[in-house]
Amino acid sequence: MSKLLKPAQAGSVESSDILIMIAPAETGAGIKVELVSPTMQQFGEQITNVIMQTLVAQGVKDATVHANDKGALDFTIEARVVTAINRARS
Amino acid sequence: MINAAGRIIPDQIAGLGKIRPYCGPFATTPEGRLTGPKIRLNMPRSEKLVKSIEQAIEAAGLKDGMTISFHHHFRNGDYILNQVVEAIAKKGIKGLTLAPSSLNDINDAIIPFIEEGVITAIETSGGRGKLGKLMTAGTLAKPTIIRSHGGRARAIEAGDLKIDVAFIGAPCCDSYGNINGIQGPSACGSMGYAMVDAAYADKVVAITDNLVPHPVYPISIPQTQVDFIVVLESIGNPKGIASGALRISKDPRELLIAEYATGVIEHSGYFKDGWSLQLGSGGASLAAAKFIKEKMLAQNITASFGVGGITAPFVDMLEQGLIKTIFDVQDFDIPSIESLRNNPNHLEMSASYYANPHNGGPIVNNLDVVILSATEVDVDFNVNVITDSNGVIMGASGGHSDTAAGANLAIVVAPLIRGRLPMVLDKVNTIVTPGETVDVIVTERGVAINPRRTDLIDRMKGTGLPVMSIEELQKMAYDLTGKPKPIAVTDEVVAAIEYRDGTIIDVVRKPV
Amino acid sequence: MEKKLRRAMMFMPGNNPAMLQNAGIYGADTVIFDLEDAVAISEKDAARQLVHNAIKTINYPCEVAIRINHILTPYGLDDLKVVLAAKPDLIRLPKAESPDEIKQVDEIISEAEQKYGFAAGSINMMAAIETAKGLRLAYEIATASPRMVALAIGGEDFIADLKTTRSKDGKELYVARSQLLLAARAAGIDAIDTVYSDINDEETFIAEVNMIKQLGFDGKSVINPRQVRIVKEIFTPSEKEIAHAERVITAYKAAIERNSGVINLDGKMIDTPMVLRAERVLAYAKSAKR
């Protein structure tokens, strides 16, 4: 799996979207996810899990992710993370 | 104790004393007699005009610990409440209970005075913005009491809410205190909420920017109820008081909701000549007005009366002869104000006539159909309009529980999800309107009928409406959003939701 | 097998999550998720991923189509690479000009069907004719692959190609519409009319829908729910038409039973085209009830 080469972002702050900003981290640093969401209590854990699981599935081991959520559903979150990773790898 | 709505209510609430739990929409029989203001003496040709708000406060004998009231007919164009509270603060008066008919964003300005202890308790229909957050934070010495419009009128008339001084913003006031709301630069239309305060408060101060020679006509609040008059440059911002005609929603989701709601009405059995309706002022409601009007024209049906919260689409139907009479407790826009002024079939009514459950019959008891909004609903058809998904007070009880209890058909409209938040939950954060008074929930993805209404369930068969069980509706929402975690709250009660009959249907606990 | 109705095919911008998740509630016969004109070049990658996810996750109650970028652009092939895995029902090719394009996409889809274990032929295609050149080969394009189920006319681009402007009565598109329809009919597939983009001019829209229905079109591309509503209404047969169609079918069935060669209704002879027309009316009526 190729490493992240540069910071990248995908998505937007439009309603029902999520803005994912991903940056490479030092090898061994692991994955750090920072989430801002209007539904932190109700779905904060769920959203963070989706981001983490997508990173893992895409073979990303070390990264910092900042997510600005505007009520995105899981399918959108996953898509934006995948796109951000692809952009960070190109 | 657990009340009849299934909510855990403390037996006692600090600052509110012993609690009477909700037992059902009509389970509680009232006892006793109506209360009344102190008997007054007014000398012939005496002068009611005082020079300033400060003088009025003195003349009214306002002291620490008293209760003051205001109406909210000026909405976010209101100057009165903030100015009076500021003047009271300057006089060093403290510990007051503030009992306005409702609060708006513009009233955030009084927060410093709450923090100073000028105001230590609030009884109202709702709170928004920073004030709503403050109420939720439990900053006040006593929990806030939230009442519906009908419930507030009941409480005032029964003496549960004793108003010492009512400050009434008066768009048109003559030199002896006859007031109406339809003339003047700050015209607001109906004075429905203020009428109850004026009739029952011990002292009434009229504040106007439009003093006219005595006698004025028509009279919404008579001189017999008014003690003092203050004249200001301006009592409100016309732009905040009434909008130009509200634009009907173009949002396709809202239009779809409106269409389904109209379909439910059409097939409910209540849609026939002589029917009556109430519409909210939300986007889906206004859009529904348009569809309902089209069906009324197509099927040659007229309504015997309409109730509200009046907006231009309603007035439009009145003018076209589709509605015979409008009963008006407040006006939202300029066309509505003008209609009240000019149309003899457009009638002003008090909050008590509108919705007080403990009189000879409020108009909601004659209502066929009402369309209401919601912040959340649950699988028992309970409705929340007061707190958001995080348990923060941001809305108002309004006439919601009143109309739902009185009407033959209570329809609640809401999008199935707002952002990522599902609107159909296991349990709403706060019950304002109990499920047994809610007949139909309409979303853009499905329509759920209260299982109690087997008649409606039958009638909706074969109509093509997307009828499903409330559980299926919830599942649809949860399939999209996932199941939300409940929000964490402490034990501290920060607000009591009083049902229209004076019992407590739910409480708001302070979020963690 | 009941014929798939495509009266209203609603376009949704592919990079808009709110629109994708709500696309299915407006009653369109087909939703078209657009990766082409509605998506900025810098977002082509994001859009195809989002559309892929939406289709995989959301259970749409209607046909799901994707308008990919033309395969001669840098994006079209990547679009297919990502979205086919989600098993859309229909791939719409823009600006089709040659049957070779159709064949190329057909092959890519066949490979994907095999790779992902989808039933062969389960993903259909349609093509939009948007240039004079494309119109000349409309029939060849329509018959270039058994996956082809519809031909559409892309009005805006076509008018630009003709070097003229849009008018209210659409006379500049008269020949193009007719030729497209003829090609579709000869090929035995659907003819879909172009988008009308002025959502505030309902009167002209209604007139246009009535006109193309009269010409024989099977449906129209639309861009918002209100247009969906209008198109379906206009394409829904009236009570009179339904009643007549039912009588035609009844007379036809009775004649079959009698083994009679001639079918009669109200003193007039019923021939095969009339029966087919009646079946079509009843199919529309049945679908309108849902």
Side-chain angles (χ1 to χ4, degrees):
Chain A
M1 283 289 178
S2 52
K3 293 191 65 135
L4 305 180
L5 299 175
K6 59 181 195 278
Q9 69 180 45
S12 76
V13 291
E14 297 288 313
S15 182
S16 297
D17 207 343
I18 184 169
L19 181 61
I20 300 285
M21 294 179 280
I22 191 168
E26 278 179 29
T27 317
I31 297 175
K32 185 168 148 220
V33 176
E34 258 173 39
L35 171 65
V36 172
S37 171
T39 62
M40 274 316 273
Q41 287 203 66
Q42 298 88 345
F43 293 112
E45 198 181 309
Q46 166 84 350
I47 296 170
T48 307
N49 283 343
V50 170
I51 296 174
M52 292 286 287
Q53 281 160 23
T54 310
L55 289 160
V56 168
Q58 295 287 312
V60 176
K61 293 205 170 49
D62 308 292
T64 338
V65 177
H66 186 85
N68 190 353
D69 171 55
K70 297 292 182 188
L73 302 184
D74 286 350
F75 81 90
T76 303
I77 300 169
E78 196 211 34
R80 296 329 200 180
V81 173
V82 168
T83 304
I85 293 171
N86 289 338
R87 289 175 176 177
R89 279 179 171 156
S90 61
Chain B
M1 61 178 125
I2 297 185
N3 67 12
R7 292 286 148 136
I8 301 172
I9 314 284
D11 293 335
Q12 302 233 24
I13 296 178
L16 299 182
K18 195 154 185 299
I19 301 303
R20 284 179 302 148
Y22 168 78
C23 297
F26 296 101
T28 306
T29 317
E31 282 173 7
R33 294 178 169 278
L34 295 183
T35 187
K38 288 211 190 94
I39 303 175
R40 304 159 160 101
L41 171 64
N42 174 268
M43 297 304 292
R45 289 163 292 280
S46 58
E47 179 63 73
K48 291 191 181 178
L49 210 55
V50 293
K51 288 199 172 62
S52 63
I53 293 178
E54 288 74 18
Q55 270 201 18
I57 294 168
E58 270 173 42
L62 188 64
K63 293 190 185 15
D64 286 359
M66 281 191 169
T67 299
I68 57 175
S69 82
F70 301 84
H71 66 69
H72 70 288
H73 285 293
F74 298 152
R75 280 175 294 281
N76 273 316
D78 182 286
Y79 293 162
I80 304 270
L81 193 152
N82 297 350
Q83 277 190 39
V84 169
V85 169
E86 191 179 345
I88 290 172
K90 282 209 178 86
K91 283 189 161 296
I93 298 173
K94 291 203 182 316
L96 297 181
T97 296
L98 178 65
S101 50
S102 194
L103 289 163
N104 284 293
D105 289 308
I106 198 170
N107 303 120
D108 284 350
I110 66 169
I111 291 177
F113 305 121
I114 295 176
E115 287 163 351
E116 278 169 29
V118 177
I119 304 220
T120 50
I122 297 179
E123 303 185 14
T124 185
S125 178
R128 309 187 198 270
K130 297 204 183 89
L131 259 180
K133 291 195 174 76
L134 181 143
M135 289 182 207
T136 315
T139 311
L140 291 151
K142 275 169 58 179
T144 301
I145 301 181
I146 301 289
R147 296 191 178 97
S148 68
H149 290 322
R152 181 176 184 270
R154 177 212 66 78
I156 292 172
E157 294 186 10
D160 288 351
L161 170 52
K162 287 189 179 55
I163 302 172
D164 295 294
V165 186
F167 294 93
I168 298 185
C172 180
C173 183
D174 70 24
S175 49
Y176 227 61
N178 292 301
I179 295 171
N180 73 48
I182 55 175
Q183 292 155 7
S186 309
C188 61
S190 170
M191 304 277 306
Y193 303 123
M195 288 162 80
V196 184
D197 295 26
Y200 287 83
D202 275 346
K203 289 273 188 276
V204 175
V205 178
I207 307 179
T208 187
D209 54 8
N210 180 30
L211 189 71
V212 298
H214 179 273
V216 82
Y217 184 82
I219 298 173
S220 300
I221 291 171
Q223 63 187 46
T224 52
Q225 296 171 354
V226 176
D227 299 290
F228 306 107
I229 303 168
V230 181
V231 179
L232 299 179
E233 272 283 331
S234 174
I235 59 174
N237 177 2
K239 286 206 180 65
I241 295 174
S243 47
L246 301 165
R247 277 174 61 235
I248 298 201
S249 177
K250 285 209 149 113
D251 178 344
R253 274 205 312 175
E254 285 194 322
L255 292 176
L256 197 50
I257 293 171
E259 193 196 307
Y260 290 153
T262 307
V264 170
I265 293 173
E266 190 186 1
H267 295 107
S268 63
Y270 299 113
F271 189 61
K272 48 188 198 263
D273 210 44
W275 74 303
S276 60
L277 69 154
Q278 166 149 2
L279 302 172
S281 55
S285 281
L286 292 179
K290 177 163 167 280
F291 297 141
I292 290 170
K293 178 178 153 181
E294 283 166 12
K295 289 209 189 278
M296 287 170 79
L297 284 167
Q299 297 179 35
N300 224 351
I301 288 176
T302 54
S304 58
F305 69 89
V307 179
I310 305 301
T311 53
F314 235 13
V315 164
D316 187 51
M317 288 163 85
L318 179 73
E319 285 170 359
Q320 292 199 20
L322 288 171
I323 299 181
K324 290 217 178 67
T325 316
I326 284 183
F327 290 99
D328 182 352
V329 74
Q330 77 171 331
D331 293 292
F332 285 102
D333 54 30
I334 293 169
S336 303
I337 297 172
E338 280 177 9
S339 175
L340 179 62
R341 182 163 49 231
N342 300 324
N343 193 326
N345 297 319
H346 186 152
L347 307 174
E348 183 180 43
M349 67 174 171
S350 74
S352 197
Y353 185 96
Y354 172 36
N356 181 348
H358 292 168
N359 60 26
I363 192 80
V364 294
N365 284 5
N366 305 92
L367 204 51
D368 280 318
V369 176
V370 62
I371 298 183
L372 299 163
S373 59
T375 59
E376 309 172 317
V377 303
D378 66 28
V379 292
D380 295 311
F381 285 78
N382 295 312
V383 181
N384 179 4
V385 281
I386 188 83
T387 52
D388 64 14
S389 307
N390 292 316
V392 176
I393 296 171
M394 42 58 79
S397 175
H400 208 280
S401 53
D402 301 310
T403 47
N408 269 325
L409 174 62
I411 300 175
V412 170
V413 295
L416 188 65
I417 64 177
R418 282 196 176 97
R420 198 200 168 117
L421 292 165
M423 291 294 107
V424 184
L425 305 167
D426 287 343
K427 283 192 193 310
V428 291
N429 279 325
T430 318
I431 299 182
V432 167
T433 298
E436 51 197 307
T437 60
V438 177
D439 302 300
V440 184
I441 291 171
V442 174
T443 73
E444 80 284 11
R445 288 174 194 257
V447 172
I449 303 173
N450 195 321
R452 292 164 170 258
R453 295 299 304 262
T454 50
D455 60 318
L456 289 174
I457 294 173
D458 274 334
R459 283 183 174 276
M460 296 304 140
K461 291 196 174 120
T463 57
L465 289 166
V467 176
M468 57 189 70
S469 71
I470 188 91
E471 288 81 11
E472 282 173 271
L473 210 51
Q474 184 195 46
K475 179 172 186 302
M476 220 189 253
Y478 282 6
D479 280 349
L480 284 167
T481 66
K483 187 167 170 171
K485 284 222 179 93
I487 54 162
V489 292
T490 63
D491 276 330
E492 186 188 335
V493 171
V494 295
I497 312 297
E498 191 181 280
Y499 192 62
R500 56 199 300 245
D501 60 6
T503 60
I504 304 297
I505 189 166
D506 205 348
V507 294
V508 178
R509 291 182 174 82
K510 180 173 170 175
V512 153
Chain C
M1 193 178 63
E2 210 179 274
K3 186 212 172 295
K4 164 73 191 153
L5 289 182
R6 296 191 175 92
R7 299 159 297 182
M9 302 185 80
M10 185 169 71
F11 273 99
M12 299 253 107
N15 201 28
N16 187 319
M19 292 210 176
L20 292 185
Q21 66 200 43
N22 288 326
I25 67 178
Y26 301 114
D29 295 306
T30 310
V31 290
I32 308 177
F33 296 147
D34 189 10
L35 302 177
E36 200 221 10
D37 283 351
V39 179
I41 290 178
S42 59
E43 293 297 314
K44 297 283 187 197
D45 59 340
R48 66 176 72 103
Q49 190 62 47
L50 189 65
V51 165
H52 167 276
N53 277 27
I55 298 176
K56 270 206 116 136
T57 323
I58 298 177
N59 200 1
Y60 292 101
C62 55
E63 183 175 52
V64 176
I66 302 175
R67 179 165 75 173
I68 58 169
N69 291 279
H70 195 278
I71 49 174
L72 294 178
T73 66
Y75 320 109
L77 294 174
D78 284 337
D79 289 339
L80 288 169
K81 225 182 272 173
V82 172
V83 303
L84 287 176
K87 197 162 186 278
D89 298 307
L90 179 60
I91 297 289
R92 177 173 166 136
L93 274 57
K95 303 175 173 61
E97 288 197 328
S98 127
D100 289 335
E101 297 160 15
I102 310 297
K103 290 191 169 69
Q104 189 180 352
V105 175
D106 177 302
E107 266 174 45
I108 296 173
I109 296 178
S110 296
E111 276 169 29
E113 281 173 345
Q114 248 202 7
K115 176 174 172 195
Y116 298 116
F118 305 149
S122 53
I123 298 178
N124 290 325
M125 287 172 61
M126 68 180 289
I129 304 292
E130 307 189 47
T131 59
K133 193 163 165 209
L135 190 63
R136 286 182 68 95
L137 293 175
Y139 176 74
E140 287 77 3
I141 289 167
T143 51
S145 154
R147 296 184 192 279
M148 285 291 290
V149 294
L151 268 186
I153 175 131
E156 291 304 321
D157 287 275
F158 200 95
I159 290 168
D161 199 43
L162 291 177
K163 296 200 201 302
T164 180
T165 53
R166 252 296 197 166
S167 72
K168 279 212 170 191
D169 68 1
K171 60 167 73 69
E172 61 282 343
L173 282 179
Y174 188 56
V175 170
R177 278 180 165 134
S178 304
Q179 285 202 356
L180 185 107
L181 182 68
L182 289 166
R185 288 291 170 260
I189 64 176
D190 286 343
I192 306 295
D193 189 45
T194 182
V195 163
Y196 183 77
S197 41
D198 187 352
I199 54 174
N200 294 316
D201 186 354
E202 230 169 69
E203 219 182 288
T204 309
F205 179 71
I206 291 172
E208 188 166 290
V209 177
N210 275 306
M211 191 250 307
I212 59 116
K213 178 182 173 224
Q214 183 58 34
L215 282 181
F217 275 81
D218 297 281
K220 193 172 176 60
S221 296
V222 294
I223 54 172
N224 79 356
R226 176 95 189 109
Q227 289 187 338
V228 169
R229 173 69 44 78
I230 293 173
V231 168
K232 283 172 73 174
E233 241 172 66
I234 292 174
F235 272 81
T236 300
S238 67
E239 305 241 337
K240 237 172 101 178
E241 288 173 306
I242 295 170
H244 179 77
E246 280 170 346
R247 291 182 64 221
V248 167
I249 299 295
T250 309
Y252 171 67
K253 285 190 175 146
I256 300 271
E257 269 181 31
R258 283 194 322 261
N259 249 313
S260 164
V262 174
I263 313 160
N264 232 298
L265 183 65
D266 297 338
K268 284 213 212 103
M269 200 181 76
I270 300 180
D271 51 14
T272 317
M274 280 183 74
V275 176
L276 290 175
R277 207 177 311 141
E279 283 179 345
R280 193 176 145 107
V281 166
L282 292 179
Y284 275 142
K286 186 168 165 202
S287 192
K289 270 211 164 69
R290 275 193 257 106

